[in-house]
Amino acid sequence: MEKTIEIDGVTMRYDVDGCGDRPVIVMHGWGCKASTVAVLANAASDASTTVYNLDLPGFGASSEPTSVWGVDDYTRFIEEFAKREWIVNPVLVGHSFGGRIAIMYASRNRVDKLILVDAAGIKPRRSLKYYLKVYSFKAAKHILPFVAGRKQADKLIDRMRGKAGSSDYAQASPRMRAVMSRVVNEDLTPLLPSIKAPSLLIWGEKDTATPLRDAKKMERMIPDAGLVSYPEAGHYSFLDRPGQTAAVIASFLNFKR
């Protein structure tokens, strides 16, 4: 069933499947939507569950945030969503960016179980090349208007952004670009020890966006966590190994099949 909810001026579209008394909230990664993680939603679907698969604000058919949100703002939004839907003690499933929200939610709320799939949340290591690119871009933003004029400078800066930035960044709206710049620099590592729920980490060993070393760090720092990794799978490991992912999740959630 497709539904929408409006919270503080932001409208979110989401799918609801099942009518069990065990709620599951599924949250997709950056630049994606609910349909992208349908494999995860289906894997968490059982006679005992009700699965809420979200188009997070700014993605899919949901409206953008009304300001430049950080992870805390997204988490507060999901907390309010859970409150309005009478969701208590949910299973959380988060892929990539959705994993950030799941980590923060689980660190401060009662959660049945937590499933992180190629999740973001640990601030990435930056190379010298990365910092040279970032500071060159920032310098160009300040210098070009004086050299080429505002209009021409804007064109040149957009061209530089397209070449230097990620495809996710280039395709986002101005507000969502600002949101992305904010959230990718948030380090959630200090929150990991506060997660009390049993946690399953599912990872692709060839993931370059959120590398396997991040998963190993999360496994060490979350008190009750276990890691399942797939050789040759990437950042969308659940799409590379859908059958294995479904079996692992069913076992973790103790489905009777």
Side-chain angles (χ1 to χ4, degrees):
M1 178 189 302
E2 181 175 336
K3 299 180 70 175
T4 60
I5 189 171
E6 191 273 328
I7 301 173
D8 296 331
V10 177
T11 300
M12 184 175 70
R13 191 211 73 86
Y14 59 102
D15 297 318
V16 183
D17 179 54
C19 56
D21 58 5
R22 192 181 190 190
V24 180
I25 300 176
V26 181
M27 294 175 283
H28 60 77
W30 190 272
C32 301
K33 53 187 177 180
S35 60
T36 311
V37 290
V39 167
L40 296 175
N42 291 337
S45 181
D46 180 75
S48 65
T49 64
T50 299
V51 179
Y52 301 82
N53 189 8
L54 317 181
D55 275 355
L56 293 168
F59 305 97
S62 297
S63 64
E64 291 188 357
T66 52
S67 60
V68 179
W69 282 9
V71 179
D72 180 67
D73 299 288
Y74 271 97
T75 305
R76 288 179 184 274
F77 185 92
I78 301 306
E79 288 169 339
E80 181 61 24
F81 164 74
K83 180 180 177 181
R84 295 194 187 188
E85 289 292 306
W86 301 93
I87 296 172
V88 178
N89 195 30
V91 173
L92 297 181
V93 183
H95 171 247
S96 194
F97 171 64
R100 289 182 182 273
I101 304 169
I103 287 169
M104 185 168 284
Y105 189 111
S107 74
R108 64 194 196 195
N109 293 281
R110 186 179 169 216
V111 170
D112 179 10
K113 290 189 175 182
L114 174 65
I115 302 174
L116 299 175
V117 185
D118 302 293
I122 293 177
K123 194 171 182 177
R125 299 175 185 174
R126 303 299 194 185
S127 65
L128 177 61
K129 182 179 179 181
Y130 169 84
Y131 285 109
L132 287 173
K133 182 170 66 175
V134 168
Y135 288 112
S136 295
F137 180 72
K138 288 184 177 181
K141 285 176 68 177
H142 287 91
I143 295 170
L144 282 174
F146 296 102
V147 176
R150 171 60 63 183
K151 189 173 182 179
Q152 185 62 23
D154 288 344
K155 290 181 181 179
L156 292 170
I157 290 168
D158 280 342
R159 194 176 304 163
M160 289 177 65
R161 181 183 289 119
K163 290 181 179 179
S166 68
S167 59
D168 284 339
Y169 186 88
Q171 293 170 16
S173 70
R175 175 166 293 166
M176 294 308 292
R177 286 176 180 176
V179 170
M180 184 179 186
S181 295
R182 181 176 177 183
V183 300
V184 297
N185 287 304
E186 293 188 51
D187 187 7
L188 305 185
T189 303
L191 302 181
L192 298 175
S194 299
I195 296 173
K196 306 305 180 187
S199 301
L200 168 66
L201 313 179
I202 299 176
W203 235 265
E205 295 181 10
K206 297 295 185 180
D207 188 344
T208 57
T210 53
L212 186 61
R213 64 173 177 266
D214 289 0
K216 292 180 178 179
K217 186 171 185 177
M218 290 181 185
E219 184 185 24
R220 289 195 305 271
M221 296 190 69
I222 297 173
D224 184 7
L227 171 64
V228 174
S229 64
Y230 305 146
E232 304 304 319
H235 187 55
Y236 292 83
S237 60
F238 61 98
L239 296 179
D240 294 330
R241 302 284 192 278
Q244 190 172 354
T245 297
V248 169
I249 289 177
S251 176
F252 180 64
L253 297 182
N254 300 314
F255 290 161
K256 298 177 180 179
R257 294 179 178 173

